Amino acid sequence: MIQIHAKKIKTGRIRDPFAAAEILQFCALTNHGDLQYARLVFDRMEEPNCFSFNTIIRAFSETNNQSIESLIIFGQMLYNEFVEPNRFTFPSVLKACAKMRRIEEGKQVHCQIIKRGLGLDIDEFIVSNLVRMYAICGLMKDARKLFDKSGVTTKESISDGNVVLWNVMIDGYIRIGDFDSARQLFDLMPQRSVVSWNGMIAGYAQNGYFKEALEIFQKMQLENGCPNYVTLVSVLPAISRLGALELGKWVHLYCGRNKIEVDDVLGSALIDMYSKCGSIEKAIQVFERLPRRNPVTWNAIIGGLSVHGRAVDALDYFDKMEMEGVKPTDVCYISVLSACSHAGLVDEGRLYFDQMVRIDGLDPRIEHYGCMVDLLGRAGLFEEAEEFISKMPIKPDGVIWKALLGACKMHGNIEMGQRVAKKLMDLAPSDSGSYVALSNIYASLGDWEGVSAVRLMMKEKDIRKNPGCSWIELDGTIHEFLVEDESHPRAREIRLMLEEMSEKLRLNGYKPDTKQVLLNMDEEERESLVFHHSEKIAVAFGLISTKRNAPLQIVKNLRICGDCHSSMKFISRIYNRRIIVRDRNRFHHFENGVCSCMDYW
């Protein structure tokens, strides 16, 4: 192209606006072009026409970090008395304003559109870009006014351009966190593209609305939508968080049936899903079959093995990763240190922390320090843990003190527990965790005055304990339970099963552990309360709803308590069931009266 350009210059044909425009278009908009060269060509054009202006404006608007050039050139166009912007100019200028969040310039461009008679009834592409610009810049009221006036809300006006406009509006509401408006528009859409479905699924999943993300995904299937690669990558994190294994398996099968390549990105999401849904063996299978691996896929499998308490396997994969020449990331070291912590591998943890700093040259983050404090605290090495904290180059935050407070609770270290809890209360006065942990320490010792003092403090500060919540997936449906929950349609059957479980547990030597009950009541009431914890209700529902010997998988939002941990071991043996419980920190695999954590959690 440079040779052709040179020949046109040599022959004088470059002065022809159409010949120059061809050179400009090739340099600016083709894969083989050169945008900087295109700018030089444009700057040397004696009389650039509207087409040339539009070409260079569009090229810069589509280039990251150079969108400002579009506005500069558009300004030159406005000052050029021989050239008028047309309907092809404004979409690119608006796109540039949206990319840079330049709302004031965007409003000025909007005024130019009105001034030149390019109103709402002229061009839906201009309207779409106006709406997008206002939506991306967070001015949803302005975006909504244009949207409502555009006429795209009628079924008679269905077109690809209009679907794009609906998607832009929904995305705008999601960006500002107005999910009610986003969902309202989504439900009203006369026609949805795969982009529409993906936008809602990703929006919900990325903002913590996991059940809603799965609801949209299932609705997509019912309405014969065709999930694509982006859909699956977007929905898998929601499936992971809810532990919806059957739905996750369906997604994996869908990849194979529809020839969707399981690359490193989708592969990492599948590994994470299987790990968090309790099927670590399937996660290993996915990892081993990946055509290529990167630090993210290695992190996924090492992290999965870590949360399942398979510390030796996690460290083995870490060694394999290094042998393949992949440098560990700081995220990977969090998983490795966490694995050491859950397995009580103190010496190994110290060595890996030292390797991270001295050999791999990584600066520890607060999470790494938290893992080390947790490792030392769990092992009862309180003096070393405090010394480690005192030598940290960064100020300890709630993560550090919570790790130490958890260890104090585990080992009954009252004196240190009180000091640490007070530090936490000063750091995060509205966080219920430190108050509850201190109450638990007092309750375990039968110090009801201490418990009352903490509860009074919580009441005065209007701090509420996060309620325990557990859920179980059956046939693709998530069933959720709270403490003493009677709201389920099968509540009567669940209650009868709980009574049966209670009787069988007692006959097999189980004794309720009521030390963690933070209420001063008689022993019978305390036993009743612990036996109606949410995970026990979920297990009871699973026992009446599944075939004999079928495994049960429960997810809990908090750390499993000592009584539930003990009773799950008995239940697994009495009912001959494999029970997998994922709590806030890790997985517990109960089988034949034994837990995979070996009672070290």
Side-chain angles (χ1 to χ4, degrees), residues 89-101:
T89 311
F90 291 104
S92 297
V93 180
L94 290 168
K95 185 182 291 184
C97 292
K99 269 190 175 182
M100 298 184 293
R101 308 291 197 274

Side-chain angles (χ1 to χ4, degrees), residues 428-448:
S430 299
D431 185 353
S432 65
S434 53
Y435 299 88
V436 172
L438 185 58
S439 292
N440 284 336
I441 292 173
Y442 287 135
S444 66
L445 297 171
D447 182 356
W448 298 110

Side-chain angles (χ1 to χ4, degrees), residues 50-323:
C50 185
F51 177 83
S52 297
F53 269 105
N54 289 350
T55 298
I56 196 70
I57 288 171
R58 176 187 163 194
F60 277 112
S61 74
E62 294 175 352
T63 305
N64 292 332
N65 304 320
Q66 295 194 65
S67 298
I68 189 66
E69 293 295 325
S70 292
L71 301 189
I72 293 170
I73 297 168
F74 178 64
Q76 294 173 5
M77 188 179 193
L78 294 178
Y79 279 104
N80 191 317
E81 58 183 305
F82 302 106
V83 182
E84 286 279 327
N86 63 12
R87 59 192 291 264
F88 299 105
T89 311
F90 291 104
S92 297
V93 180
L94 290 168
K95 185 182 291 184
C97 292
K99 269 190 175 182
M100 298 184 293
R101 308 291 197 274
R102 302 289 284 260
I103 188 59
E104 291 305 318
E105 288 85 349
K107 288 179 177 179
Q108 292 173 29
V109 174
H110 190 180
C111 290
Q112 286 289 333
I113 292 169
I114 296 171
K115 179 181 175 181
R116 295 171 191 279
L118 298 173
L120 295 171
D121 56 340
I122 302 296
D123 195 311
E124 67 179 28
F125 196 41
I126 291 178
V127 176
S128 176
N129 281 277
L130 270 170
V131 172
R132 177 185 282 109
M133 186 268 297
Y134 280 118
I136 288 176
C137 291
L139 299 182
M140 290 307 300
K141 288 184 179 178
D142 296 284
R144 189 61 185 261
K145 283 179 186 176
L146 287 169
F147 178 78
D148 290 340
K149 288 180 180 178
S150 67
V152 300
T153 54
T154 61
K155 289 186 178 181
E156 292 76 20
S157 64
I158 295 174
S159 70
D160 290 341
N162 288 342
V163 172
V164 169
L165 194 52
W166 282 83
N167 293 341
V168 165
M169 282 298 297
I170 290 168
D171 180 64
Y173 280 124
I174 290 172
R175 283 172 184 268
I176 65 169
D178 187 352
F179 284 90
D180 289 339
S181 297
R183 183 60 185 270
Q184 183 185 48
L185 270 189
F186 180 81
D187 289 340
L188 287 172
M189 281 187 82
Q191 177 179 308
R192 301 185 186 100
S193 67
V194 69
V195 175
S196 314
W197 293 103
N198 291 352
M200 283 302 299
I201 291 168
Y204 274 136
Q206 290 166 12
N207 288 275
Y209 297 97
F210 305 116
K211 287 183 72 175
E212 290 81 357
L214 295 198
E215 179 196 338
I216 294 291
F217 181 63
Q218 290 167 331
K219 183 180 174 75
M220 181 183 190
Q221 296 167 60
L222 290 172
E223 295 186 14
N224 297 318
C226 294
N228 61 10
Y229 176 92
V230 175
T231 317
L232 305 184
V233 171
S234 299
V235 78
L236 280 168
I239 293 172
S240 301
R241 289 298 295 267
L242 293 174
L245 179 59
E246 293 307 313
L247 187 55
K249 287 179 178 177
W250 183 92
V251 168
H252 195 184
L253 285 170
Y254 182 88
C255 293
R257 289 172 184 163
N258 292 274
K259 294 181 171 55
I260 296 175
E261 181 191 1
V262 179
D263 61 5
D264 48 357
V265 176
L266 185 53
S268 297
L270 282 168
I271 293 166
D272 185 64
M273 180 275 294
Y274 278 122
S275 298
K276 289 179 178 172
C277 289
S279 184
I280 189 63
E281 295 301 333
K282 284 290 292 181
I284 293 170
Q285 286 178 21
V286 172
F287 177 81
E288 296 295 346
R289 291 172 183 171
L290 286 177
R292 56 188 176 276
R293 298 163 185 165
N294 62 19
V296 178
T297 55
W298 282 103
N299 290 348
I301 193 62
I302 293 169
L305 290 163
S306 173
V307 296
H308 280 269
R310 292 175 56 168
V312 174
D313 291 329
L315 301 184
D316 182 47
Y317 270 85
F318 182 83
D319 292 340
K320 288 178 182 177
M321 178 183 71
E322 290 192 305
M323 288 172 62

